[in-house]
Amino acid sequence: MDIAPTDRIIPINIEDEMRDAYIDYSMSVIVARALPDVRDGLKPVHRRVLYGMYELGLSQSKSYKKSARIVGEVLGKYHPHGDVAIYEAMARMAQSWSLRYPLIEGQGNFGSIDGDAPAAMRYTEARLVRISEELIKEINKNTVDFQFNFDASLEEPVVLPAKLPNLLLNGASGIAVGMATNMAPHNLSEILSAIVAYIENNDITISELMEYVIAPDFPTGGIIYGYNGVREAFQTGKGRVVLRGKATIEVTANGKEQIIVTKIPYQVNKAVMIERTAHLVNEKKIEGIADIRDESDKEGMRIVYDLKRDAIAHVVLNNLYKQTQLQSSFSVNNVALVEGRPKILNLKELIVHFVDHRHEVLVRKTTFDLEHAKKKIHLLQGYLIALDHLDRVIALIRESKDPEVAKAALMETFPLSEVQAKAILEMRLQRLTGLERAKIVEEHHQVQKLIDHLLEILADKALRMQLIKEELIALKERYGDARRTVVEYEADAFTMEDMIPDTEMVIMVSNQGYIKRTPLVDYRLQGRGGIGAKGITTKKDDFTEHLFIATAHQYLLIFTEYGKIYWVKVYTIPETKKTTQGKAIQNLINIAPGDQVRSIIQVRDLKDNTYVDHHHVVMCTRQGIIKKTPLHAYATPRANGIHAIVIREGDSLLDVQLTNGTHHIVLALESGRATQFNEQDVRPMGRVASGIRGITLAHEQDRVIGMACFPTLDLDVLVVSENGYGKRSPLADYRITKRGGKGVKTLQITEKTGKLVAIHAVKNQDELMIMNQSGVAIRIEVSTLPLIGRATQGVRLIRLSQNDKIASVARIDVLAQVDAQDR
């Protein structure tokens, strides 16, 4: 029912009331709880704790007092929001891992970086540190405004004088209503140098200030990974700073590798980080870690990750950075109260507001000292008047019946104020001696000099700024220290490669276009003449046509029968067991219907201009055409591929190899002949050229089966026939001829050996991977093959089952493999 308005009932709109109440509440939280003042960098609770301790006399030179005593003082006088809130704020100011420059010196258990809570306040003790005293000094000289406390029985400071820029040194964090602040700590020496630079040049830019302030400096040290976020935070007041723990890789006496972490990112709980890492290891989301131990002690932090013998330390470390809090981020949001209003501030604005505050404090302090000095000299002038007329003053006093009469008589007789007359009456007789008179005269002179100096300060802003500058330089010398946080300027975001070991892989491509990769370690070495092991399961009428070794991070340049080129990273190829078939290559590249892979080469890095500019791609076709093109022509990957060579009618691309421009090239024919010529005989051509004659076929049905490129002359020529026979011969046995010749015999072709199917340049330390059409693979050492003449039929390399034949042969560079593992 409706209620009629009366004198005691006032109708209001509930929406208006809720809005007004919420605004009042939010402003109370913003101003009186969550956000720091830009001048002293403190929230009310922290300011009250420091002021309460100052009033208790807990300076650095005094003994500790129980924390409960301090909390009671602050709670009863200034901060009636509960003892827990006060003690938590007080404990945080004593934690060296929370504040870059702790403001309280604690005695007892004030918590740990593992998240342990401080001991109860009745067990701990505390006092101020010297830096805190620098924040409070001069507070009794009317340098700051005071306000009534919660019950108007006492006064508390609105802000502290703050000789040091605490907001920049220790940062701040807090969540208000509709806004939050998260300010990073910085190095004292860097910040004070930047403030001095600003005082010397008020027009200094933020970029110029960054020459002094390198980056935030966190109390737990570690590494700032990348500089873009730092630059953005300094310029705008907002930015994301990526932090990493400091980790090194060490090798124990028994040869095992360890990752040792000695610093962790700011605000990371060490115990929680270790626990979560162990959980990820147990779930096999991070592999390669055998054990985790926390060996931290009073000497410092030390977290040990024992690695498994087959683990690659850098990959494990990258996984730790990627998946654990060993890498975290600090989102800078520089929101502080400026004249009671929240504002986002960049680096220069923070410095400007601090200098303005110090300037105001200096003016108020100087004014206070001047007033005090004027009162002092006023009394001294009265003393001097009394001393100059001492007999008359004494007589007046003796003639007076009481002090009031004496005071009035002195004021009537001499030009004295009431204050001076009262001081003369209270003056001790010992000051009437000649020596004491000289002291009064000298004191009058010194006070007059002080007054002149104070007046000069108040009249000259440049002098005031010079005094602030000198004060900051002295504070830097007293409290300055080295940076704890290292800055790694050039840092890229994580890529897939960071998480994948750059291990040796066997890449297989079948005749029908199925591709897969398998770790090389899955294929054990066997002796020459063995039966091999199952290397792949293929469809009927399919067989492995291409087989080679590459590392996971290398690029594959895939050349097709139609003369097109495609790019693939090795790690993007599906990794399978050695007996599985693999995936259709059409899943990786946009190969045209009817086209098929003919050759694949691996290159180290297409982004390394030095590497690209010093290599060539040499191609040969079934009909003996050869072509050489600079690698940089193919250094820009495209999803749909590009033309690598123009194929003549009736011909097809056969083999492609990477050279440095000075190789010796050997082309071999199915008929068992081969020719050797210098790479310089083949001039570089454009990407769409068709090439020139490399070797002349023995007859119409003959064709080229392969190309071997020799960087030096001390390598051997290895040839393999389709029935599993092979040999190696010195390259010197092949005379150098002009390109385009018919060549010389390289293998005695018989019904027993079958046709020639493969040719390679090998050295004694190499290994061979031989794959049959039935999918059986064998891995043998080149050193087990006899070194015999080029015109012989060779020896048996693998025993073939009936109707089986050799499908492909790949060379394994063992020395390169060892180098990769060492890296």
Side-chain angles (χ1 to χ4, degrees), residues 491-511:
D492 299 322
F494 278 113
T495 64
M496 181 67 74
E497 291 184 15
D498 296 323
M499 304 296 107
I500 298 173
D502 195 20
T503 53
E504 297 276 319
M505 293 286 173
V506 177
I507 312 298
M508 296 182 185
V509 184
S510 75
N511 177 261

Side-chain angles (χ1 to χ4, degrees), residues 475-492:
L475 290 169
K476 176 183 173 183
E477 293 176 356
R478 183 180 303 170
Y479 300 111
D481 59 358
R483 283 189 65 85
R484 296 181 187 177
T485 310
V486 178
V487 180
E488 194 168 317
Y489 292 90
E490 299 298 330
D492 299 322

Side-chain angles (χ1 to χ4, degrees), residues 135-139 143-144 159-163 357-358 361:
L135 299 179
I136 307 176
K137 276 181 182 178
E138 306 167 345
I139 199 169
T143 51
V144 295
V159 67
L160 298 184
K163 283 188 177 182
H357 174 57
R358 283 305 301 164
V361 167

Side-chain angles (χ1 to χ4, degrees), residues 539-775:
K539 290 183 177 181
K540 186 178 181 181
D541 300 328
D542 195 11
F543 59 90
T544 300
E545 187 168 2
H546 303 284
L547 172 72
F548 56 92
I549 312 301
T551 63
H553 291 185
Q554 288 182 329
Y555 273 100
L556 296 186
L557 272 55
I558 303 176
F559 295 83
T560 70
E561 188 177 62
Y562 292 173
K564 291 197 72 174
I565 177 177
Y566 300 86
W567 296 261
V568 170
K569 278 280 193 178
V570 170
Y571 64 76
T572 64
I573 299 171
E575 181 178 347
T576 66
K577 296 179 180 179
K578 65 180 183 178
T579 57
T580 56
Q581 177 181 337
K583 299 291 183 181
I585 201 166
Q586 285 83 359
N587 294 328
L588 298 178
I589 60 176
N590 296 324
I591 191 169
D595 201 1
Q596 58 181 324
V597 175
R598 277 299 175 216
S599 186
I600 304 175
I601 62 174
Q602 63 264 29
V603 295
R604 189 181 69 208
D605 190 354
L606 289 176
K607 297 179 182 179
D608 185 344
N609 292 332
T610 302
Y611 175 82
V612 170
D613 291 343
H614 287 81
H615 284 83
H616 293 83
V617 175
V618 177
M619 293 166 270
C620 73
T621 72
R622 293 284 189 188
Q623 297 297 318
I625 300 299
I626 191 167
K627 175 192 171 186
K628 180 171 76 172
T629 302
L631 178 59
H632 63 71
Y634 308 113
T636 306
R638 298 181 189 174
N640 293 321
I642 59 174
H643 284 287
I645 183 175
V646 174
I647 301 297
R648 299 174 184 177
E649 186 176 354
D651 200 359
S652 62
L653 185 63
L654 169 68
D655 197 6
V656 182
Q657 294 199 35
L658 200 64
T659 67
N660 60 15
T662 62
H663 282 54
H664 285 255
I665 298 175
V666 176
L667 294 177
L669 300 174
E670 189 179 74
S671 59
R673 299 185 68 83
T675 183
Q676 178 192 180
F677 54 89
N678 291 321
E679 184 184 343
Q680 289 91 336
D681 291 346
V682 184
R683 61 181 174 83
M685 300 180 184
R687 183 168 54 82
V688 294
S690 61
I692 54 179
R693 174 66 58 185
I695 188 172
T696 300
L697 305 183
H699 47 78
E700 281 190 15
Q701 287 73 36
D702 202 5
R703 61 177 185 169
V704 178
I705 56 89
M707 172 177 61
C709 294
F710 295 79
T712 62
L713 298 177
D714 58 351
L715 299 179
D716 298 328
V717 180
L718 174 98
V719 291
V720 180
S721 72
E722 63 180 351
N723 290 337
Y725 286 83
K727 63 169 184 175
R728 58 188 177 115
S729 306
L731 180 61
D733 287 0
Y734 296 78
R735 70 176 186 274
I736 298 177
T737 64
K738 292 293 184 180
R739 148 189 82 72
K742 293 183 178 181
V744 296
K745 185 177 291 187
T746 185
L747 183 74
Q748 182 66 43
I749 298 297
T750 65
E751 185 176 343
K752 177 181 178 182
T753 62
K755 299 173 183 178
L756 192 64
V757 294
I759 181 170
H760 285 284
V762 298
K763 55 183 176 292
N764 205 49
Q765 298 88 349
D766 288 345
E767 297 172 1
L768 291 182
M769 177 74 77
I770 302 173
M771 181 68 70
N772 300 342
Q773 291 182 358
S774 62

Side-chain angles (χ1 to χ4, degrees), residues 137-323:
K137 276 181 182 178
E138 306 167 345
I139 199 169
N140 292 325
K141 292 190 174 185
N142 193 33
T143 51
V144 295
D145 292 333
F146 277 71
Q147 63 187 4
F148 284 118
N149 67 343
F150 58 90
D151 62 357
S153 62
L154 295 169
E155 287 191 331
E156 61 175 322
V158 174
V159 67
L160 298 184
K163 283 188 177 182
L164 289 166
N166 179 62
L167 188 58
L168 280 163
L169 299 184
N170 281 322
S173 63
I175 300 174
V177 178
M179 64 184 66
T181 185
N182 201 36
M183 305 182 70
H186 296 81
N187 181 268
L188 184 145
S189 298
E190 294 178 2
I191 289 295
L192 296 192
S193 295
I195 296 174
V196 169
Y198 164 74
I199 292 173
E200 293 174 345
N201 175 21
N202 289 168
D203 296 326
I204 192 171
T205 64
I206 295 177
S207 297
E208 290 170 333
L209 286 172
M210 289 169 62
E211 296 177 8
Y212 301 94
V213 186
I214 298 172
D217 190 21
F218 297 96
T220 53
I223 300 168
I224 293 176
Y225 192 67
Y227 201 67
N228 290 337
V230 174
R231 185 181 295 108
E232 184 180 359
F234 283 159
Q235 296 281 357
T236 67
K238 284 177 172 286
R240 180 175 175 270
V241 180
V242 179
L243 301 175
R244 280 185 166 188
K246 182 180 179 182
T248 56
I249 297 171
E250 298 180 4
V251 180
T252 63
N254 61 4
K256 287 188 176 181
E257 287 187 311
Q258 294 178 325
I259 295 174
I260 309 296
V261 176
T262 53
K263 304 286 184 183
I264 62 174
Y266 182 51
Q267 295 179 335
V268 169
N269 185 309
K270 174 163 64 70
V272 171
M273 183 189 76
I274 294 173
E275 181 181 350
R276 291 179 180 173
T277 303
H279 186 65
L280 290 172
V281 171
N282 291 334
E283 290 186 338
K284 300 192 181 301
K285 292 182 179 179
I286 297 179
E287 297 183 346
I289 296 178
D291 188 27
I292 306 174
R293 295 189 308 280
D294 185 1
E295 298 180 355
S296 306
D297 55 22
K298 63 180 181 180
E299 301 298 326
M301 185 180 298
R302 181 181 170 86
I303 306 169
V304 180
Y305 299 87
D306 286 329
L307 303 185
K308 296 177 181 178
R309 288 199 177 274
D310 59 345
I312 299 174
H314 291 287
V315 173
V316 175
L317 181 56
N318 282 335
N319 270 293
L320 289 173
Y321 283 138
K322 180 70 174 179
Q323 301 187 54

